[in-house]
Amino acid sequence: MHFKWNYEPPTPTAQQAAKELGEKLGISDVLAQLLIQRGITTESAAKRFFRPQLADLINPFLMKDMDVAVDRLNDAMGRKERIMVYGDYDVDGCTAVALVYKFLQQFYSNIEYYIPDRYEEGYGVSRKGLEYAAEAGVKLIIILDCGIKAFDEIAYAKSLGIDFIICDHHVPDDVMPPAVAILNPKRPDDSYPFKHLCGCGVGFKFMQAFAKNNGIPFSRLIPLLDFCAVSIAADIVPVTDENRILAFHGLKQLNQNPSIGLKAIIDICGLGERELSMSDIVFKIGPRINASGRMENGKETVDLLVERDYPSAHRMALHIDEYNEQRKDIDKQMTEEANNIVSRLESQKHHSSIVLYDEGWKKGVIGIVASRLTEIYFRPTVVLTRDGELATGSARSVTGFDIYSAIKSCRDLLINFGGHTYAAGLTLRWDDIPEFRRRFQAYVEQHIQPEQTEAILNIDVQIDFRDINKRLYSDLKRFSPFGPCNQKPLFCTIGVYDYGTSKVVGREQEHIKLELVDSKSSNVMGGIAFGQSASARYIKSKRSFDIAYTIEENVFKRSQVQLQIEDIRPSEE
C-alpha cells in the first residue's frame, strides 16, 4: 500500500513552547511537542494527563435522569422486585452487563441478566426477551449499550408492567422511548460534560451514582474497571478525558488483578506473562469476547465474565476460543468473496463508498468484513446479508466521515438503524437494497472530502536515530493508554540506509527484519516492517529511504527498543 505522509514541521513559536514546557516538566522537546499536539500546554494539564486520577471522574449526577434512575433502582430493591440486566451481544454490551450485574449482585439477589440471540431475536430489545421477562416476573429492566431507539418495544413492556432504565451511548432519535430514565450523554438535552462514553462507561456511571447515593465506598467499584478498559478499547471510542481515566485504571486492574473470566481469556490468548495494552484488547481479548455473540449466543460470554471459579472459567474460555477460530475462518472466506465482488464491479471503482450484499453471508461476521473493506479501500462501507424478506447490515467509516448521518439520510427506506459516527447497523427490505445503495452512495459523494479516501499517515514528529533510546521509550509509555484521539506517536526519519544485514522473514517471506543507520548518528536501529517485503529490493540497493514508525519494546530482547515500521519510501519522493 502506498501511503500519503501528512507532516507539518513545528513553527518557531511551537518549538519555543515545546522547549519551555519540556524544561518545566524535565522532559525532552520531542515529548513536549507531542503533548502540545494533544492540546496539553500547561504543567498542571500534563500532570493530569500522565497521572489520571479516579478522583477526577465527573459527578455522575450531572447526567440527565441519573437521579431518577437511582431512585427507581432503589425502589425496586426496596420492594424486592425482580430486576433484569439486558445488553447487546458485542464486547461493549457484554462487559456492561457483566459490570452492572456483578456490582448489584453483591447487594441484591433477585436479579438476572439477558443477552438476545443475534440470529433469533436480532439487535436490541426483542419481543421474545420481553415475554420471557414478563413470565419471570421482572418489573425493572436495566438495558445497556442499546435501547435508545426501541420506542415500540419499551411501550409494549410498559403495557406488561415492566419499567426500563436505558444506559446507551448511540445517537438518539428526536422522540425517545417511554422509559423511566434514559442515561445517554448524547441526548441533545443532556449537559453532561463528556459525550463519548461507551455503553459500559454509561453503566459504570450509573453504578457510581448508585454507590454514592447508598453510601457504598467507591473502592467497591474499582475491581470492575477492567471491564471498562476492555469496552473502551474494543468499541473504539476516544481515549480522552473521562475515558482516559477509566481506561488507565482499568488497564491497571487488568494487569494486576483481573476478574476471573478475563483472566481465563488472557491465559487462553497466551498473554499471561506480559503487560497488557489497549492493542492486546483490540486484537486478542476483544475478538474472543465477541466470538460467541457472532457465532452462537452472547450470553455465554457474560456467563464467563461473571464466573467466580477459575477452572470453570478456563473451560468456558476454551469453548469461546473455538468460536473465535470458526469466526476467523468464516471472516477470511467472506472477506475474500467481498474483495472478489469489488474487483468485478467496475462501477464501484468510481464511487467514494462500497455497498455489498450476499444472501449467504453470516450475520454475525458482516461487521468485521465491513471493517476490513474500509481498511483496504479507504471508503465508507456497508455490508448486508439476507434475513427472510429483510436485509440486515453493518456499516463502517473512514476517519472524519459520519456514516450514521449518511445512513440516516436514507431513513425512509429503513426498518431500523442505529449507531454513531464510525459504525452503524441497519435493517431494510431486501428489494430496497438497489435504491438504498444509489442514495447512500450519492450522499457520500456529496459530503466526503477527497483526503478522507486516501491512505494517510499522520506523522507526529521527525527525529533522528540519536534521539531514540530506552528513556524515550519509557517516556512514550506514559502517553498510554492509546486509542482514538490519542494514537501511539508516529515518527519519521529521513535518509536512512540498510546496515547490510536486513532480510526478508516470515512463513511466506512477507515481512522485513531491518537493521538501519542514518546519516546523523552511529546508532544501528533494529526494526520490523510487517507485510512490506515488496520494498526489500530497494532497501538492499544501498540507496537511502525514509521510514515512518512507532517505537516499541523488542519482545524477544526486553532490554532493547525497536522500530515498528509502518511505511518505507525512497528518499527522492
Side-chain angles (χ1 to χ4, degrees):
M1 180 180 295
H2 188 72
F3 285 95
K4 179 181 177 182
W5 291 18
N6 179 26
Y7 173 63
E8 292 185 18
T11 63
T13 304
Q15 286 178 318
Q16 183 60 30
K19 187 172 185 298
E20 290 173 4
L21 184 61
E23 286 171 357
K24 286 178 187 172
L25 296 171
I27 60 175
S28 70
D29 291 359
V30 169
L31 291 164
Q33 194 174 325
L34 290 170
L35 286 173
I36 288 170
Q37 287 170 350
R38 285 156 174 74
I40 299 160
T41 56
T42 66
E43 191 175 355
S44 60
K47 286 177 178 173
R48 284 196 303 275
F49 179 78
F50 286 135
R51 293 194 290 273
Q53 301 294 316
L54 289 168
D56 290 334
L57 288 172
I58 299 165
N59 178 355
F61 285 101
L62 292 178
M63 193 177 292
K64 189 167 182 65
D65 276 4
M66 187 63 81
D67 52 346
V68 181
V70 171
D71 286 347
R72 180 65 186 90
L73 178 56
N74 284 334
D75 287 347
M77 289 181 163
R79 295 197 290 255
K80 296 188 167 43
E81 293 176 349
R82 186 80 175 152
I83 298 172
M84 174 185 281
V85 185
Y86 189 122
D88 189 19
Y89 36 61
D90 68 357
V91 178
D92 193 15
C94 289
T95 52
V97 167
L99 185 151
V100 171
Y101 176 79
K102 279 188 77 172
F103 187 68
L104 292 180
Q105 195 192 33
Q106 299 172 79
F107 314 103
Y108 191 70
S109 60
N110 195 13
I111 185 169
E112 63 178 300
Y113 54 86
Y114 189 92
I115 303 290
D117 185 293
R118 185 192 293 259
Y119 296 96
E120 288 187 16
E121 299 170 74
Y123 172 79
V125 185
S126 73
R127 287 288 177 119
K128 179 181 175 183
L130 292 177
E131 281 155 13
Y132 167 79
E135 286 174 19
V138 170
K139 294 298 180 186
L140 174 64
I141 294 179
I142 300 168
I143 188 162
L144 297 137
D145 193 35
C146 53
I148 196 63
K149 292 196 167 191
F151 188 94
D152 292 341
E153 291 82 2
I154 291 176
Y156 174 61
K158 202 171 179 182
S159 74
L160 298 175
I162 300 172
D163 284 340
F164 262 80
I165 296 171
I166 297 173
C167 303
D168 205 349
H169 69 125
H170 297 101
V171 179
D173 266 342
D174 296 335
V175 179
M176 288 185 284
V180 169
I182 299 175
L183 308 179
N184 185 335
K186 290 193 177 77
R187 285 179 63 162
D189 58 348
D190 194 332
S191 58
Y192 191 75
F194 185 64
K195 301 296 182 184
H196 303 294
L197 291 167
C198 58
C200 187
V202 178
F204 179 84
K205 298 305 295 185
F206 183 22
M207 293 301 96
Q208 183 189 1
F210 171 79
K212 191 172 184 177
N213 180 262
N214 286 280
I216 300 165
F218 181 85
S219 58
R220 298 285 292 271
L221 284 160
I222 290 175
L224 301 168
L225 285 170
D226 52 3
F227 292 136
C228 289
V230 169
S231 62
I232 288 166
D235 221 51
I236 318 180
V237 290
V239 186
T240 57
D241 300 317
E242 193 158 42
N243 279 345
R244 179 171 174 81
I245 298 170
L246 293 171
F248 180 90
H249 289 278
L251 268 178
K252 189 175 174 183
Q253 186 70 27
L254 197 64
N255 278 292
Q256 293 177 358
N257 189 23
S259 64
I260 296 295
L262 286 175
K263 174 76 170 90
I265 296 172
I266 290 164
D267 291 344
I268 291 296
C269 295
L271 298 172
E273 299 302 315
R274 52 180 277 194
E275 185 178 353
L276 298 169
S277 67
M278 298 292 268
S279 291
D280 293 317
I281 296 170
V282 172
F283 296 110
K284 300 282 188 180
I285 298 170
R288 285 166 172 82
I289 292 176
N290 252 335
S292 66
R294 292 191 186 282
M295 305 304 295
E296 292 292 336
N297 190 314
K299 185 175 182 297
E300 290 184 55
T301 295
V302 182
D303 293 343
L304 167 59
L305 293 178
V306 302
E307 180 57 55
R308 296 176 179 177
D309 175 64
Y310 182 81
S312 299
H314 194 265
R315 284 193 299 273
M316 295 158 82
L318 281 170
H319 187 51
I320 280 175
D321 196 50
E322 290 171 12
Y323 285 145
N324 193 50
E325 291 303 313
Q326 295 169 25
R327 187 272 308 165
K328 284 196 279 190
D329 291 341
I330 294 169
D331 162 16
K332 184 178 179 184
Q333 177 190 336
M334 284 171 55
T335 302
E336 286 174 1
E337 289 172 5
N339 266 322
N340 290 336
I341 294 171
V342 173
S343 62
R344 286 200 311 272
L345 289 176
E346 197 63 33
S347 61
Q348 289 279 8
K349 296 177 183 175
H350 305 298
H351 287 291
S352 298
S353 61
I354 295 171
V355 179
L356 297 181
Y357 53 97
D358 187 285
E359 293 191 16
W361 285 344
K362 193 170 180 69
K363 193 193 295 188
V365 184
I366 52 177
I368 299 175
V369 175
S371 294
R372 298 216 191 288
L373 293 175
T374 303
E375 290 164 8
I376 294 167
Y377 297 103
F378 288 89
R379 284 180 279 180
T381 299
V382 178
V383 178
L384 299 147
T385 188
R386 189 158 194 156
D387 186 5
E389 295 303 307
L390 304 179
T392 60
S394 286
R396 298 292 183 270
S397 194
V398 294
T399 302
F401 183 77
D402 185 351
I403 203 162
Y404 177 84
S405 294
I407 290 169
K408 187 177 180 181
S409 72
C410 309
R411 67 182 307 160
D412 58 301
L413 294 173
L414 304 177
I415 293 166
N416 199 4
F417 72 101
H420 42 79
T421 303
Y422 293 117
L426 63 158
T427 304
L428 68 160
R429 289 178 60 252
W430 183 260
D431 293 341
D432 285 339
I433 292 177
E435 177 62 11
F436 169 79
R437 173 194 262 172
R438 185 189 69 77
R439 284 167 51 182
F440 175 82
Q441 291 183 330
Y443 181 96
V444 177
E445 289 284 343
Q446 289 172 11
H447 292 86
I448 202 163
Q449 301 301 311
E451 62 270 17
Q452 290 174 327
T453 59
E454 294 179 318
I456 293 176
L457 284 178
N458 291 308
I459 310 291
D460 289 291
V461 187
Q462 180 179 321
I463 59 174
D464 303 319
F465 285 172
R466 64 189 171 193
D467 298 314
I468 303 172
N469 50 42
K470 282 209 74 176
R471 166 79 188 274
L472 177 67
Y473 171 73
S474 177
D475 285 341
L476 287 174
K477 282 178 69 177
R478 296 169 65 198
F479 280 74
S480 66
F482 298 113
C485 302
N486 184 42
Q487 297 288 358
K488 189 172 286 190
L490 188 64
F491 301 96
C492 72
T493 300
I494 306 303
V496 305
Y497 298 85
D498 176 26
Y499 185 61
T501 48
S502 298
K503 60 184 179 182
V504 175
V505 296
R507 187 179 301 171
E508 298 175 17
Q509 301 286 281
E510 68 272 42
H511 315 308
I512 315 174
K513 191 173 186 301
L514 297 141
E515 288 193 310
L516 305 172
V517 292
D518 70 359
S519 56
K520 296 187 178 176
S521 72
S522 57
N523 289 9
V524 179
M525 288 302 309
I528 184 77
F530 293 112
Q532 298 183 60
S533 57
S535 298
R537 181 171 294 188
Y538 185 91
I539 289 168
K540 300 304 285 185
S541 72
K542 302 293 184 187
R543 288 178 286 177
S544 73
F545 52 95
D546 308 335
I547 54 172
Y549 56 89
T550 58
I551 298 172
E552 313 287 346
E553 185 177 53
N554 187 326
V555 292
F556 301 107
K557 298 177 182 176
R558 291 292 173 90
S559 60
Q560 294 181 9
V561 297
Q562 69 172 9
L563 314 181
Q564 183 163 314
I565 296 169
E566 302 297 325
D567 196 29
I568 299 166
R569 67 179 190 185
S571 289
E572 50 264 33
E573 290 188 18

